[in-house]
Amino acid sequence: MALKALILNTTLRRSPSRSQTQGLIDKAVPLYEKEGIETEVIRVIDHDIEQEYWDDFDDYNAGEKARREDEWPWLLGKIREADILVIATPITLNMCTSAAHVILEKLNLMDELNPDTRQFPLYNKVGGLLMCGNEDGAHHVAGTVLNNLGRLGYSVPPNAAAYWLGPAGTGPGYIEGKGDRHFHTNKLIRFMVANTSHLARMLQETPYTTDLEQCAQAAREESDDVFAIRVNTNTPAIRYKRFQKLGEVKVEDGQLSG
């Protein structure tokens, strides 16, 4: 079965505005195709992704909230279908964009164990990162985003982050600055694509077998902090449970099913 890569462009510029970050994505896509991996690119800001979440879906369905279009279930289905997730973000104020942060916050709610594997739903998937900006910040953003992807269950291979940085102060962006001809950036993109592809193939053949439920039980038997045990082991979160669909994932007509 063909592996799939999903690249989320988290620029804050809606289509058809030009995105400097898209320039790096355009470099990565043909490299994934050479690896035999199907690739899809989604510009997150073009879709209505609610920042809010609710513990009680009666609140969600009540009144004005029910009339708002939330495309998160659709995007979550795309994320869960993909074997590789690449977050592509401009660097803003030494951070990833707010759109990228919202995606990470939403995925942080995926904390119920798959009843079949007893693992988090995003286990056996691979994470990568593309960044574009002026001045510094790439290492800080990479440390934060890749660490969070790892916490969510993604496997992060070596050299999983690629970036282009312009000069200090206001200067040309990736496109005007001919970032596509920058040796270090081109090298890192190739590292990222090759290593995420390699690890995704490995995990397809040999997935993790870690039983997180068994690990939690063993930890409970040697621990005394009763409140943490009750919250994190006995009562797993139900937020967005209706969107998780922990069985086989399928996206049809913009809806998540399975």
Side-chain angles (χ1 to χ4, degrees):
M1 185 172 65
L3 293 169
K4 297 180 181 179
L6 176 65
I7 303 178
L8 297 182
N9 184 346
T10 62
T11 177
L12 299 183
R13 298 181 182 275
R14 291 184 182 271
S15 299
S17 298
R18 183 173 61 175
S19 163
Q20 302 286 344
T21 305
Q22 186 64 42
L24 280 81
I25 295 172
D26 291 342
K27 278 277 189 173
V29 168
L31 294 174
Y32 273 122
E33 291 175 351
K34 287 182 180 179
E35 294 280 352
I37 292 176
E38 297 178 11
T39 307
E40 181 175 7
V41 179
I42 294 175
R43 192 181 291 204
V44 173
I45 199 69
D46 289 342
H47 301 276
D48 192 353
I49 309 297
E50 290 283 2
Q51 288 185 278
E52 299 174 78
Y53 60 81
W54 301 271
D55 292 330
D56 186 343
F57 283 105
D58 289 336
D59 291 342
Y60 178 88
N61 290 320
E64 182 182 352
K65 290 175 182 175
R67 293 191 290 274
R68 286 195 262 177
E69 184 69 23
D70 186 0
E71 294 183 77
W72 174 245
W74 166 80
L75 184 56
L76 178 58
K78 292 285 188 180
I79 291 171
R80 291 202 54 228
E81 277 190 317
D83 302 284
I84 300 169
L85 176 68
V86 177
I87 302 290
T89 180
I91 299 172
T92 305
L93 298 175
N94 206 36
M95 300 181 291
C96 63
T97 62
S98 56
H101 199 81
V102 166
I103 298 301
L104 293 171
E105 287 180 328
K106 295 284 212 180
L107 291 178
N108 192 43
L109 301 179
M110 299 280 289
D111 54 3
E112 289 189 83
L113 299 185
N114 186 316
D116 296 324
T117 64
R118 293 186 291 278
Q119 297 170 345
F120 295 130
L122 299 173
Y123 256 56
N124 296 305
K125 297 179 181 296
V126 178
L129 177 64
L130 292 170
M131 295 165 285
C132 184
N134 288 71
E135 302 189 54
D136 205 353
H139 290 176
H140 173 72
V141 173
T144 301
V145 174
L146 292 180
N147 177 68
N148 284 325
L149 288 176
R151 288 185 66 251
L152 295 170
Y154 282 95
S155 295
V156 179
N159 303 116
Y163 58 88
W164 178 86
L165 296 175
T170 303
Y174 176 86
I175 296 172
E176 300 88 346
K178 301 188 183 302
D180 63 324
R181 302 296 299 171
H182 194 274
F183 166 74
H184 189 62
T185 300
N186 290 334
K187 177 186 69 175
L188 292 180
I189 293 173
R190 288 176 177 272
F191 286 173
M192 190 272 294
V193 170
N195 289 349
T196 54
S197 300
H198 176 76
L199 185 53
R201 285 191 288 264
M202 288 181 60
L203 290 173
Q204 186 180 53
E205 295 178 5
T206 311
Y208 287 102
T209 58
T210 309
D211 186 328
L212 299 184
E213 193 174 87
Q214 188 179 67
C215 290
Q217 178 61 35
R220 176 163 52 183
E221 292 172 359
E222 64 179 6
S223 305
D224 297 325
D225 45 341
V226 176
F227 179 79
I229 292 172
R230 176 171 59 81
V231 171
N232 294 304
T233 304
N234 293 347
T235 55
I238 61 171
R239 296 167 296 180
Y240 277 97
K241 185 173 182 179
R242 68 173 184 167
F243 295 162
Q244 290 188 36
K245 307 290 188 184
L246 294 183
E248 183 178 352
V249 179
K250 207 169 177 184
V251 178
E252 293 179 346
D253 299 325
Q255 298 296 319
L256 176 62
S257 63

